[in-house]
Amino acid sequence: MPKHPSRLSPRPAAEGPADTWLFTSESVSEGHPDKLADRISDEIVDAALRINPRARVAAETLVTAGRCLLAGEVSDASGLDYVDLARSAIRDVGYVGGDFDADTVPVEVAIHEQAAEIATAVGAHGGVEGAGDQGLMFGYACDETPERMPATLVYAHRIVAALARLRRAGQGLLGPDAKSQVTLRYTGGRPGPAEAIVVSQQHRPGAGEELRSLVRQVVQEVLPEDVLVPATRLLVNPSGSFVVGGPAADTGLTGRKIIVDTYGGAAPHGGGAFSGKDPSKVDRSAAYAARWLAKNIVAAGLARRCLVQVAYAIGVPEPVSLRVETFGTSSTSPAALTALLARLVDLRPRAIRDRLGLDRPIYARTAAYGHFGRAPDADGGFPWEGTDLAEQLLAGLR
């Protein structure tokens, strides 16, 4: 055990074999202020796409004590009631009554049309849709879990999601706001027992030991037996009381939990947020496509770990770069896998949207518990989690 447990990192631990290290990921609940902001922004995206599948949306939300502010650009979608969309999302997440109430919090709207220069640039290449902005995106997958996601993040998501389900089922002890953090000990590159688990859960006054007992029970139920071991440190509300939470306690902004949204710090991030953006924005759609590609490479057994990077220039349809990295876990060279993807998959923005069916109102559900590692929904949600490309990748290498 390191002498300074707060300085956990993905490098080898201070004590123990050289191939042993600690790694930590965190998650937050749907009631966390930043996630509430993401949810409102994605409700606006979904509402616009219901009216017009080609709607252009870049919606930002700020929530704080006694105020909700909506800003950004929405084009090709009329008749949206932004105030009602915000209040409905706030209500569904669980902020009814109290200091931040869905029915009484002032909602200010500062949303306008998309800039004409951006709209022109996107369609400038002979009518072929170009990227809505420059940027770089990463997709990642690994074989640590059935979800092909880092185990630390999968377990962190499970904890806060299970607590939220209890709250929604009527457990009055719990409030909407929560955070979790999971530290695992890795040996030889494989995840092992939990070194430490931290849960901060908003609660009613005077919860005390009842809350700690409930959290312990939830953690035991959602984590595998070989992960939660007697030596695991479980810290519940280490700061003490957590009665006032959500926007009444802390300001939330769209796009401020991008590591929670993606791979828990196990992979690079291009910097662009997802929530509040329609799928013509490559920050969102190309990041989804990159995850789809990386996951299919791992699902096909071509690598144990895979990172895909793609990058774009504003207004240009074709990506300016594509790269695959497998960290020495593949018998096929990264260059060969990169060439294979370039040959098999059209990564122009419109082609991504058509291939994955992204022009649908499927985004509010992504706003909490991660955009990746989820099962595809029957109505088309999370299509980038499908493994329908795996056989084609294998065939392409024969």
Side-chain angles (χ1 to χ4, degrees), residues 40 44 58-62 67-74 77 79-87 90 105-113:
I40 295 169
I44 294 172
E60 311 289 345
T61 302
L62 178 148
R67 187 178 186 187
C68 174
L69 174 63
L70 312 179
E73 302 82 47
V74 177
L80 295 182
D81 187 336
Y82 298 113
V83 174
D84 183 65
L85 288 169
R87 293 194 189 282
I90 295 167
V105 63
V107 179
E108 302 175 45
V109 180
I111 293 177
H112 54 86
E113 287 282 320

Side-chain angles (χ1 to χ4, degrees), residues 267-299:
H269 196 293
F274 304 154
S275 290
K277 298 175 182 177
D278 74 81
S280 74
K281 312 293 192 295
V282 285
D283 274 347
R284 183 164 220 162
S285 56
Y288 290 165
R291 159 64 178 176
W292 176 60
L293 297 177
K295 184 175 182 180
N296 274 271
I297 287 173
V298 174

Side-chain angles (χ1 to χ4, degrees), residues 186-319:
Y186 281 71
T187 302
R190 307 306 295 171
E195 190 83 4
I197 296 172
V198 183
V199 180
S200 294
Q201 171 66 57
Q202 185 186 7
H203 57 85
R204 73 183 181 208
E209 183 55 36
E210 185 181 1
L211 175 70
R212 287 187 287 273
S213 177
L214 178 63
V215 171
R216 280 195 296 268
Q217 178 182 340
V218 167
V219 170
Q220 289 169 353
E221 289 175 353
V222 302
L223 297 190
E225 290 183 2
D226 59 345
V227 171
L228 190 64
V229 297
T232 301
R233 298 175 61 205
L234 176 58
L235 305 175
V236 180
N237 285 12
S239 67
S241 179
F242 186 9
V243 172
V244 180
D250 191 16
T251 296
L253 292 169
T254 301
R256 217 163 49 170
K257 285 290 178 287
I258 56 178
I259 298 302
V260 172
D261 287 342
T262 53
Y263 307 104
H269 196 293
F274 304 154
S275 290
K277 298 175 182 177
D278 74 81
S280 74
K281 312 293 192 295
V282 285
D283 274 347
R284 183 164 220 162
S285 56
Y288 290 165
R291 159 64 178 176
W292 176 60
L293 297 177
K295 184 175 182 180
N296 274 271
I297 287 173
V298 174
L302 295 174
R304 285 178 46 205
R305 292 175 61 207
C306 182
L307 180 72
V308 174
Q309 186 200 42
V310 63
Y312 294 85
I314 186 169
V316 179
E318 294 79 11

Side-chain angles (χ1 to χ4, degrees), residues 42-53 279 357-366 377 379-382:
D42 274 338
E43 290 286 1
I44 294 172
V45 173
D46 281 354
L49 292 176
R50 286 189 188 98
I51 295 171
N52 180 358
L358 299 182
D359 291 332
R360 290 178 283 188
I362 57 174
Y363 299 105
R365 70 192 75 176
T366 68
D377 293 329
D379 67 349
F382 301 100

Side-chain angles (χ1 to χ4, degrees), residues 68 104 122 138 271:
C68 174
T104 60
V122 170
F138 291 95

